[in-house]
Each structure stands twice: as C-alpha cells, then as structure tokens.
Amino acid sequence: MKRDLTEIAQSLDNAAFTASAIEQISSSEPLTLNEAYETQKLSIDRRLARKEIITGYKLGFTSKAKMEQMGVHEIIWGRLTNAMSIKNEGVLNRNQFIHPRVEPEIAFLIKKDITKHLKKNELDNYISSVAGALEVIDSRYKNFKFSLEDVIADNCSSSAYIIGDWHDFETPSQNLSIELEINNKIIQSGNSNDILGNPIDALIEITRILEEREITIKEGMVILAGAATSAVHIHEGDVINGIFESLGNVRLKVK
Ligand code: OOG
Ligand code: MG
C-alpha cells in the first residue's frame, strides 16, 4: 500500500510542478480518508526535499458557497509552503498553473506554538494578527473535478496565497463584507461570517483538527480560514482585488 501512495504523491507533485492535469485517483484506485491525508503528506515531503518550508495550514470547504460550487461538503485541510506565497500586489505567472481560480479568505498569524485544541478565550495568547487574503487554487485533476479523497491527496488544490496588511488580532474579523473584484468589476460578494459562521471558529477548528493529528502550528505560521465565496477562474492580464472592509485590500496581477 505504502508504495502506491508514494507513486500517487509523486504524480500529484509532478502535475503541480509541470502544470499538467492528471486523471482523478478515484477513477482507478479510490483512497480512504487516511490514505488521502497520507498521500498529501508524501507529496508535500517532496516539496520539502526541494528545500521548501511549511509556512502554515489552510482549511477548505468552510463556506456553503464553496461546498456547493465543488460538490464536497466536508471540511478539509492542507499545507502551505513558502513557494506558494506571493506578496501583496505581486504577480502570478499564469503559465505555472493549470486552471487557476482565486478566492477571498481571512488569514491569521501565529505568535506562539499551538499543540492543542484552543478555546476562544485562549486565542489572544497564540494569535498575533489577522488579515484579508487571497488564495489561488489549482486542482491538479482534469476539469477541476474531484472526490473528497482526491482533493485531500492533492493538498486541497493549494497553489498560491497572498496576505494583505496584518492587523492586530483585536481588529474585528467577524461580519466583514468581502468583495472580489477582477478588472474593476465585482465578481463575488460575501461576508467573513460565511466562513463557518465566523472565521474565528474556523481558526479554532483547525487547532482541533491538527491536535488530533499531533501537528504543531508553529510561531510565525499562517492559517487560511477558507474562502468566503465561490472561486473564480483567472486569466493572463487579470488584475485581482480582494476588498475586506477594515482589513483593507489584497491585490494580485496575473501575467
Ligand atoms: C478545494 C480547496 C477549497 C476553500 O477555501 O474552500 C478551499 C477546491 O475548491 O479546489 O481552498
Ligand atoms: Mg481556499
């Protein structure tokens, strides 16, 4: 079994590295949930062997809009690395991706290692900042179609993320209107409370999930709470702007 997962991880990593889509794993050899997460880890290990560094974790399918868009109704989580990070107002190279989409998110910055499921009143000790963010997802599967296990093995489609200016964690992240503008046109509108009812609850949820897996969320890492709206295809030349009320704007150009 182990060897097969290693092969699957390699083909997913290659697909990302060469920006070429592959068939869904579930079309030939369905994985269990645990095998899917193990495959995700093995594919990220390949990135770490190339000297990438884990910079944080992301949640997926924490909003109804996303669940319905993709037909997956369970919360998933994945890993972020430094190679996926693009600075605010930076440029994304379209030809390094297969069929990229962008979605607006809320990000949190960790100030102290987290090894346990945090309670709301403990967050202040562990979280320093909050920001608006964009995530670029790029499923490695043909037609951006997948089962729950497929998408988990594929590191939850993670491919790039952009964080806006950090604000003190005290800054309200609840009930913020969120807009996604592409080429000066508003394409998606939502609210931060579309993320599990409140992005803070999403943050608490990932501490629960990662405690169960005995994974430490380290000081300096970032958490992406999941998209507030559906994701939107992006194209060469696009100018993308995420608008997050008091958290400000996050911009990306596609070249
Ligand atoms: C999976 C990733 C979902 C989110 O924020 O809900 C996700 C996908 O939609 O391809 O990142
Ligand atoms: Mg996302």
Side-chain angles (χ1 to χ4, degrees), residues 58-61 66 103-105 135-137 156 224-227:
K58 63 166 272 185
L59 284 168
F61 303 132
K66 281 289 306 184
E103 53 192 25
E105 307 227 357
E135 184 181 26
V136 177
I137 52 172
C156 307
L224 290 182

